[in-house]
Amino acid sequence: MEPISFLFGVVITILIGVFVYLKGREEITNRIWGLLCLSVGWWYFGRYMRSTSVNETDALFWCRFLYIGAIFIPSLFLHFCLSLFRIKKKKVVITAYILSFIFFISNFTDLFIKSVTSKLFGFYPVPGIFYPFYLLFFIAYISLGFFELDRAYRKAIGYRRNQIKYIFLASIVGFLSGLTTFPLVFNIKIPPVGAPFVSLYAIIIAYAIVKHRLMDINIVIKKGATYSLLVLFLLIPSLVLVTLIQKSFFGSISYSFSFIILVLLAVATFIFPRLKPGTEKTIEQILFKGKYDYKKTLNDLSKAMISILDKKTLLAKIINTTTEAMRVEKASIILLDEERGGYYIQSSKGLGEVDREGFSLAKDGHLIKWLSKNGEIIVKEELERKIDRGNVPAGVAIIKRLNDMESEVCIPLITRQKLIGLYNIGKKMNGDIFSHEDLALLETLGNQAAVAIENAQLYDGLKKSEAQMRRADKLAALGTLTAGLAHEIRNPLVTIKTFTQLLPERFDDIEFRDHFLKITSGEVDRICSLVNELLEFARPSEPNFHEDDIKDVAEKIILLIDNEARKKDIKINRIYGKEIPPIMIDKEQIKQVLLNLFLNAIEATPENGTITFETGLINKGNSRDYVQMKIRDTGKGIQKDDLEHIFTPFFTTKHQGSGLGLSISHKIVEEHKGYIEVESTVGNGTTFSVYLPLTPFRNDTSDRVNLPFVNKNRGNYSATDLR
C-alpha cells in the first residue's frame, strides 16, 4: 500500500497548494506556500515512481527526479516562515536558495548520487560526496525555520498564537516523517515508516486555514468542506475500483496506470465546473444569439437598477428594458399606496382598455392574497390548467383580474416579507410561451426590482421630509421677521394718515400737496417692496435654476432684515466685488441661505455692532472659479467644540432654536455644487463664507473631490469637512 499512500500524498499536497495560491496569489506568502506544496508533491511523485521501478536505470532516473523537489524544501520552508511573520532576512534566504541551486545542479552528477541499490524497501540512492552536505543543509535550514517559529510564537497573542501552534505541529509531523527516509541511504537499518505521512503536514496546515484563517484566507467552511469531501469520496473509491478491475481482468496492478486515471479524474472534477459556464455562454452566443442577448440585457438591468433612485425613472427603465428584451407588447407595474389603501398602476406600456387612473387592486382581493401567501410568479396559462383540475379555489377571480390587467405573467414584488407591488407582462409578440428559463430570470429580476423600488420610495420620502424641513425653517425665519416688519409697515402708514388728516385743511397749499405726494409715494413704494419680498420669500416654489445677480439677491434679503438689525443699532456694511457676472442659482433657495446667515449674525452681534457683507471672485485651486459671499459679524464667536457640529441637523446652542437652519443652508449650497467655510474666534466674531461655482455642472460631482480643506487649528471649518 506504500505506492498508494504516495499517490494520495501527491494529490492532497498539490490540491492544497493550488487552493491556497488561488485564494491569495497576490500575497508572497501564498505563492511560497504553493511552491513548497509543489516541491513536496514532486518529491511524493518521484517516490511513487521509484517504488514501482523494476530496474536500476529507471530507479536512478526517478531518484534524481524526486530530489529535484526535496532539494528546495528547506529553502522554501524557511522562506515561508519568514514571510508569514513579516521577518526580513534577505541574505539568509538568498544563501539558502544559492545552496539549493548548487545541490540541484550536482543532482545530475555522481557528486550527489553515484547510483542506486536495491534494499528491503526498494531502490535507494548510493550517496555521492555532496549528499552528506545536503543532509546537513536540510537539517540546518529546517531547524532555523523552527527557531523562527518558536520566536514568533513567544511574541504572538490571540488567534495568531493559535495559528503558529498548528504550523509547529504540522512541521514536526512532516519533517520527522521525512527524516525517516535518510537512514537507509547511509545503510542504517531504520525503515522509512514515516514517508507516507509527510502529507499530514499539508493537511494540518489546511485545517489551520479553515479553522483559524491562516494566511488571511477566509473560507466559507460549509461550501469548501462539502466540495473537498465530495472530491475525496469520489477519488478514493474510484482508485480502489480501478485497482480491483485491473486485478480481476489483467491479473496484476499497474500503479502508473492507476495514478494516471486518478489524475484525470481530479482534473475533470476541478476543471469541468469552470469550463461549463464559458461553454454554455459560447454555445448560446452561436446557436441561440437572441436568447443570449436578452439574458444579458436583463442581467445588465439588474445591475443598473441599484443606481437609480428616482422612482419614475426606475419604473420606466424596468418596463422599457424588459418589454424590448423579451419582445413583449404590454407591461405594467402596480404598487401599494398606503395612504389610499390599495394597489395602483404607477407605470405601464401598451395597455389598451385599462383605466390607469381608476384601476386598483384591493388589499384583501384574491389576487393580492394569493401573491402575499405564496410569493410565486403566476403564469396565466398554467393557472387556467390548475383551475380545470379544481386545484385553485379562487382561480376564476384571479384569472379575471389578470385579464383586466392584460397580464400573461404576474411577478410579485416582495421585500421584507411584504408585497409592495406586482409586475405584469403581456404576451410575447411572436406568440411563444414563457420558458422556465424566462421565468427564472423574471423571478430574479422581480426580487431585485422590489428592493430597488423600495429604495426609490424611501428616497422620495426623504426628499419630501427634507422639503418640509426647509419649509419649516423658512417659516421660522419669517416668524422672526414678522414683528419687525409690522413695525416697519406701521411707521409709514402713520405718516400717510397724518398727511391725509391735514390735507383737507391745507388742500390749497401747493407746496404741502407736492410734499405730501412725494412722501406718501415713497412710503407706499417701501411698503410694497417689503410686502412683495415677504410674499415672494414665503411662497412655495419648485427648484428653479436661472442666471441671477448675487448683489440683487442679497439686497432683497438685507431689505427684509434691516429692521431686525436696527433694533440693536447694528450697522450693515456692504462691499460688492467688481465685475461679478450673473451665476446659475435657484434664487429663492439662496435667499433662504442668506436669511439664515444674516439672522444668526444679528442674534450673535451685540448692540452697536457691525455686520459686513462682502462678495468677490475667487479661485480655490481646483480648476473652478467661485463667487464668494462673506457674512462677518462682531459677535461673541463660536466655541471650538461646537464648530464641528454646527452643520449637524438639530444641533443648536440656542434656547429656542430648531438646529435646522445651518444644516439646510449647507445642503442647499451643496446642491449648487458649492460649499461653506466657517472661521470663528471666541470674542472676535464669526465669518461664514459661501462659495458658489461660477459655471456649475449640474450632473458632475467629481469637482467636490478637490474642494479645499481648511486648517482647523485656526478655528476654520469647511462644511465639506463636517459630513
Side-chain angles (χ1 to χ4, degrees), residues 79 238 282 383 388 409 418 473 716 720:
H79 196 181
S238 299
T282 304
L383 185 61
D388 292 338
V409 176
K418 181 180 179 181
D473 180 65
N716 292 10
T720 57

Side-chain angles (χ1 to χ4, degrees), residues 87 140 159 312 314 606:
I87 302 170
Y159 82 95
K312 189 176 180 181
L314 174 64

Side-chain angles (χ1 to χ4, degrees), residues 173-331:
V173 172
F175 289 112
L176 285 180
S177 300
L179 284 172
T180 62
T181 63
F182 286 107
L184 279 177
V185 176
F186 297 98
N187 295 316
I188 300 171
K189 294 182 179 180
I190 297 176
V193 292
F197 302 106
V198 174
S199 60
L200 287 174
Y201 174 71
I203 292 171
I204 295 170
I205 294 290
Y207 176 79
I209 290 170
V210 173
K211 187 74 176 175
H212 299 286
R213 292 171 52 217
L214 183 63
M215 288 180 272
D216 294 327
I217 298 174
N218 197 357
I219 305 168
V220 181
I221 296 175
K222 181 180 177 182
K223 184 178 178 181
T226 304
Y227 194 71
S228 302
L229 288 172
L230 184 62
V231 170
L232 289 175
F233 281 128
L234 286 173
L235 290 182
I236 294 173
S238 299
L239 182 60
V240 173
L241 187 61
V242 169
T243 306
L244 292 174
I245 290 172
Q246 288 181 78
K247 186 73 174 175
S248 301
F249 284 89
F250 306 110
S252 62
I253 298 172
S254 171
Y255 291 109
S256 299
F257 177 76
S258 301
F259 177 73
I260 291 169
I261 294 297
L262 186 67
V263 170
L264 289 174
L265 284 171
V267 169
T269 303
F270 280 95
I271 290 180
F272 180 74
R274 288 165 173 75
L275 291 178
K276 181 174 174 285
T279 307
E280 285 182 346
K281 183 178 177 181
T282 304
I283 292 172
E284 281 186 345
Q285 285 178 304
I286 297 171
L287 301 180
F288 308 101
K289 190 174 186 307
K291 270 187 172 293
Y292 172 77
D293 288 342
Y294 101 75
K295 283 170 64 178
K296 184 176 183 303
T297 302
L298 293 184
N299 285 329
D300 291 343
L301 171 63
S302 297
K303 296 173 185 175
M305 285 191 298
I306 301 170
S307 60
I308 302 174
L309 290 176
D310 181 70
K311 187 171 77 171
K312 189 176 180 181
T313 305
L314 174 64
L315 299 182
K317 177 77 173 175
I318 294 170
I319 286 181
N320 290 334
T321 305
T322 310
T323 52
E324 289 171 14
M326 302 189 78
R327 299 185 181 278
V328 173
E329 290 181 317
K330 301 175 180 180

